[in-house]
């Protein structure tokens, strides 16, 4: 069996020793083609499992940390935050060529588009968008020390370090010099908000990083925890709104991430979502404009890294040829948002 990123005979042997309750592994197939980490469905005789591993090719330092994802879903499993069941972790790169972990298969779908959502009743769609805000608030309400994540990050100075980190990532992966980017970094540094009490943050929270059950549209699990840490919760909210596709925002349609599911009739618009989060969390969101601008900046850097991997021929899947054009658009959107703050 030949599947990119998987050494099948070695995986079968490893699972036989480490996950015997799953039964004999029968097949593996790619679920998600890796704008970020690669995700596979592993069919075993007794159950279905999902495998996560880093992308192929050039990987930026600190990115795509499998042990980090494994640790956070293991810590959150007994909390109200819905996550997949953690099953087994492998740090031995000799097995499939990279660290990986296995989690239980969740019978839900990552909804990216209106087409994937189908034509549900608007009240179901509204409840889905409310739950999306409530689950984010639940993540931020976790007592991270109580669940063993007290050393998972340093909340103090989080936004300053985030700005420095993503600037470093840009320098490592940029494919062109953009003066507008340099100007944006200066503006963000000048507008850094006051220090906020730290919480667990997901780092890439959006609808298609959840698994949703067809029919009632219940959120069954939050996935893709690779950028989670301890930090400022409004950075999560700002990035979520960066992904939001609002009615009338034609420019947003040209940014090939997160899809257009938020255009489905019944979905809260961006301000309504922010207000529902504020109500669910009890948190003030007066500085939200800065965090939305920062979200655009962060997403621009992430996409530039993906674009760099595409140019190296190290991506798996389709649609990567157009992704680089989104970078200057996101930088421009960040500038416009800061103009309004």
């Amino acid at each position: 069996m030949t599947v990119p990123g998987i050494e099948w005979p070695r995986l079968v042997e490893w699972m036989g020793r480490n996950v015997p309750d799953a039964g004999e592994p029968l097949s593996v197939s790619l679920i998600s083609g890796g704008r970020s980490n690669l995700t596979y469905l592993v069919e075993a005789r007794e159950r279905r499992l999902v495998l996560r591993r880093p992308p192929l090719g050039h990987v930026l330092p600190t990115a795509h940390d499998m042990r980090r994802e494994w640790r956070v879903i293991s810590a959150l499993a007994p909390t109200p935050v819905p996550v997949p069941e953690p099953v087994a972790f492998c740090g031995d790169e000799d097995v499939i060529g990279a660290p990986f972990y296995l989690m239980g298969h969740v019978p839900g779908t990552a909804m990216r588009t209106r087409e994937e959502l189908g034509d549900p009743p608007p009240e179901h769609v509204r409840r889905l968008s409310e739950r999306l805000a409530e689950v984010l608030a639940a993540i931020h309400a976790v007592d991270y020390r109580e669940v063993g994540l007290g050393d998972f990050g340093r909340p103090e100075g989080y936004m300053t370090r985030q700005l420095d980190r993503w600037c470093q990532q840009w320098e490592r992966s940029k494919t062109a010099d953009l003066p507008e980017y340099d100007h944006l970094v200066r503006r963000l540094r000048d507008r850094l908000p006051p220090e906020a009490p730290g919480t667990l943050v997901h780092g890439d929270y959006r609808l298609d990083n959840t698994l949703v059950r067809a029919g009632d549209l219940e959120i069954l699990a939050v996935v893709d925890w690779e950028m989670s840490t301890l930090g400022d919760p409004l950075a999560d909210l700002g990035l979520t709104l960066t992904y939001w596709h609002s009615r009338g925002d034609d420019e947003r349609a040209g940014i090939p991430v997160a899809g257009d599911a938020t255009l489905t009739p019944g979905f809260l618009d961006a301000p309504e979502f922010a207000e529902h989060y504020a109500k669910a969390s009890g948190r003030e969101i007066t500085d939200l404009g800065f965090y939305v601008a920062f979200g655009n900046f962060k997403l621009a850097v992430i996409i530039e890294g993906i674009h760099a991997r595409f140019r190296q021929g190290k991506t798996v899947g389709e649609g990567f040829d157009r992704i680089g054009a989104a970078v200057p658009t996101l930088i421009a959107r960040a500038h416009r948002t800061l103009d309004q703050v």
Side-chain angles (χ1 to χ4, degrees):
M1 181 178 301
T2 302
V3 178
I6 296 291
E7 294 287 343
W8 178 245
R10 293 178 183 174
L11 177 62
V12 170
E13 180 185 0
W14 184 88
M15 287 182 62
R17 287 184 283 106
N18 293 276
V19 198
D21 292 348
E24 178 190 1
L26 302 174
S27 66
V28 61
S29 56
L30 187 67
I31 297 174
S32 177
R35 291 183 178 179
S36 184
N37 290 330
L38 302 178
T39 307
Y40 304 82
L41 176 64
V42 179
E43 296 276 7
R45 193 166 298 280
E46 298 300 326
R47 65 180 303 192
R48 304 173 108 192
L49 298 170
V50 171
L51 184 151
R52 290 268 287 172
R53 62 147 291 162
L56 307 180
H58 173 64
V59 175
L60 294 171
T62 75
H64 317 294
D65 187 340
M66 294 296 94
R67 191 178 297 276
R68 192 168 194 83
E69 281 200 15
W70 167 257
R71 184 179 175 191
V72 75
I73 68 166
S74 298
L76 292 177
T79 75
V81 178
V83 292
E85 173 198 357
V87 174
F89 175 81
C90 177
D92 183 357
E93 296 188 14
D94 289 337
V95 177
I96 67 167
F100 68 93
Y101 69 91
L102 292 171
M103 56 188 175
H105 177 263
V106 176
T109 303
M111 303 287 192
R112 297 187 70 252
T113 66
R114 292 182 62 177
E115 183 178 4
E116 288 168 341
L117 271 176
D119 190 26
E123 59 269 23
H124 286 192
V125 177
R126 181 178 182 86
R127 184 59 192 142
L128 170 62
S129 54
E130 291 174 342
R131 280 292 294 150
L132 191 66
E134 292 161 10
V135 170
L136 182 59
I139 292 170
H140 297 158
V142 168
D143 186 332
Y144 59 82
R145 296 182 183 88
E146 183 69 24
V147 299
L149 295 176
D151 62 346
F152 198 59
R154 291 181 294 141
E156 301 80 11
Y158 171 76
M159 291 306 300
T160 299
R161 287 198 314 278
Q162 278 285 292
L163 182 56
D164 291 341
R165 174 196 172 181
W166 291 106
C167 286
Q168 292 165 6
Q169 303 285 51
W170 173 270
E171 291 302 321
R172 291 187 181 103
S173 61
K174 68 179 179 180
T175 61
D177 290 319
L178 294 178
E180 297 85 357
Y181 165 86
D182 297 325
H183 183 210
L184 176 60
V185 170
R186 291 192 294 271
R187 294 187 74 187
L188 290 171
R189 203 172 295 281
D190 288 343
R191 301 287 288 274
L192 283 166
E195 196 77 21
T199 70
L200 177 66
V201 294
H202 180 277
D204 196 23
Y205 189 79
R206 60 184 194 260
L207 180 62
D208 58 322
N209 274 342
T210 71
L211 300 177
V212 177
R213 182 167 57 205
D216 63 358
L217 302 184
E218 178 58 37
I219 294 176
L220 300 180
V222 180
V223 294
D224 290 11
W225 291 89
E226 66 186 90
M227 289 192 284
S228 58
T229 188
L230 305 181
D232 189 332
L234 289 189
D236 260 353
L237 180 59
L239 186 61
T240 301
L241 295 177
T242 298
Y243 288 120
W244 217 265
H245 195 159
S246 300
R247 285 175 282 278
D249 186 356
D250 295 335
E251 182 183 63
R252 180 63 185 77
I255 302 173
V257 290
D260 62 354
T262 56
L263 293 177
T264 306
F267 227 97
L268 297 176
D269 63 24
E272 290 172 330
F273 179 85
E275 287 301 323
H276 195 76
Y277 167 84
K279 180 179 178 181
S281 66
R283 190 165 279 112
E284 292 289 335
I285 59 172
T286 50
D287 288 334
L288 186 55
F290 170 87
Y291 293 95
V292 172
F294 192 92
N296 279 281
F297 157 76
K298 176 178 172 179
L299 186 54
V301 177
I302 292 170
I303 289 179
E304 181 71 356
I306 296 168
H307 179 55
R309 289 206 307 275
F310 166 74
R311 290 179 55 159
Q312 296 166 358
K314 298 296 185 179
T315 49
V316 178
E318 299 179 352
F320 294 101
D321 54 328
R322 301 181 302 274
I323 200 165
V327 174
T329 302
L330 285 161
I331 292 171
R333 289 169 74 89
H335 277 295
R336 290 200 301 271
T337 302
L338 286 176
D339 290 343
Q340 299 167 9
V341 172

